[in-house]
Amino acid sequence: AQKITQTQPGMFVQEKEAVTLDCTYDTSDPSYGLFWYKQPSSGEMIFLIYQGSYDQQNATEGRYSLNFQKARKSANLVISASQLGDSAMYFCAMRISNQAGTALIFGKGTTLSVSS
Amino acid sequence: DAGVIQSPRHEVTEMGQEVTLRCKPISGHNSLFWYRQTMMRGLELLIYFNNNVPIDDSGMPEDRFSAKMPNASFSTLKIQPSEPRDSAVYFCASRRSRASGQDEQYFGPGTRLTVT
């Protein structure tokens, strides 16, 4: 079965510190994609970063990086130098493929709280 | 680019009434997705379209739910009759498939539906 698991319901970090949000996945497809989205309190879903299963290097986008460990089936999001504006819910998602096509499945999310 | 546009942003209706949610995807995107988000169930994929054709509607909860995409720039999600348990935030997202596989979805602001 294809599945995304985020085990941390909530994380707390001080401003300027780094934080890692965990994500593990399960799939038997050799080709897949992993995504992270941010949902602030205003409710919109904001795409942050993408990692393809065949990508040799870990993805990075500014202060966001993805710690991709294929053998362990984990795709943790690392946020460096946290800012107050990073306080939000973060979702890990995986692109799944079936006979019908491709879509995303989402984890339950992790709430990140950044304090000054 | 205007992004994905959804209307209305908020909808309050009485049980038994018909509700129609609307979505305009990003121009040039060839896939459109409808999601529902609740505290209990998280983000659930309801249905998605490729090139205006419904591909997978296995997430549609009941026959009370229907979705259409008459053209590349418009989609509707209809609930008839609505029930209090349909109360949720409904997101529309669109995507442009790329050969690289980095086909992230862009989400609209969501419609917050309350059925009393």
Side-chain angles (χ1 to χ4, degrees):
Chain A
Q2 294 165 315
K3 188 178 176 183
I4 286 279
T5 303
Q6 294 179 257
T7 57
Q8 306 155 313
M11 289 287 285
F12 297 86
V13 68
Q14 290 257 318
E15 218 176 350
K16 299 180 186 177
E17 291 182 351
V19 63
T20 297
L21 306 183
D22 294 342
C23 173
T24 57
Y25 60 92
D26 191 14
T27 181
S28 56
D29 285 346
S31 176
Y32 51 89
L34 297 156
F35 303 76
W36 278 92
Y37 284 82
K38 173 184 178 181
Q39 187 176 40
S41 58
S42 52
E44 70 267 36
M45 293 284 286
I46 303 167
F47 166 70
L48 295 178
I49 196 167
Y50 166 83
Q51 179 83 44
S53 58
Y54 294 122
D55 293 343
Q56 295 296 315
Q57 294 187 330
N58 288 344
T60 60
E61 288 286 349
R63 294 185 300 110
Y64 304 110
S65 61
L66 206 152
N67 184 2
F68 182 46
Q69 298 188 42
K70 199 169 182 178
R72 298 179 63 181
K73 294 191 173 180
S74 73
N76 299 338
L77 177 70
V78 181
I79 305 175
S80 62
S82 298
Q83 302 173 355
L84 295 178
D86 294 333
S87 294
M89 177 85 88
Y90 289 80
F91 291 94
C92 180
M94 178 170 66
R95 181 181 63 238
I96 60 169
S97 301
N98 54 34
Q99 288 182 337
T102 62
L104 291 182
I105 56 170
F106 285 82
K108 295 294 186 186
T110 295
T111 300
L112 176 64
S113 299
V114 181
S115 59
S116 56
Chain B
D1 200 326
V4 176
I5 299 172
Q6 289 186 248
S7 65
R9 295 292 307 276
H10 302 273
E11 177 80 29
V12 180
T13 191
E14 291 184 347
M15 183 174 64
Q17 297 296 308
E18 177 180 296
V19 175
T20 299
L21 310 182
R22 297 173 176 80
C23 176
K24 177 178 168 56
I26 294 172
S27 177
H29 283 194
N30 58 348
S31 297
L32 183 141
F33 304 79
W34 282 101
Y35 292 90
R36 179 172 67 177
Q37 186 178 32
T38 61
M39 288 291 292
M40 291 297 292
R41 301 172 71 91
L43 262 166
E44 302 173 277
L45 175 66
L46 299 177
I47 185 172
Y48 73 98
F49 297 83
N50 276 355
N51 298 315
N52 313 339
V53 176
I55 298 300
D56 185 354
D57 65 354
S58 59
M60 295 285 262
E62 300 171 32
D63 291 344
R64 298 184 296 107
F65 285 69
S66 62
K68 293 182 180 180
M69 192 165 185
N71 57 61
S73 59
F74 184 66
S75 177
T76 59
L77 177 68
K78 185 178 292 186
I79 308 172
Q80 165 64 19
S82 57
E83 296 183 3
R85 60 193 167 119
D86 301 332
S87 298
V89 178
Y90 291 81
F91 286 102
C92 175
S94 70
R95 176 189 76 187
R96 178 175 54 209
S97 297
R98 305 182 197 180
S100 68
Q102 183 171 343
D103 51 354
E104 68 271 17
Q105 297 177 18
Y106 291 90
F107 283 72
T111 295
R112 183 173 295 276
L113 173 65
T114 303
V115 183
T116 60

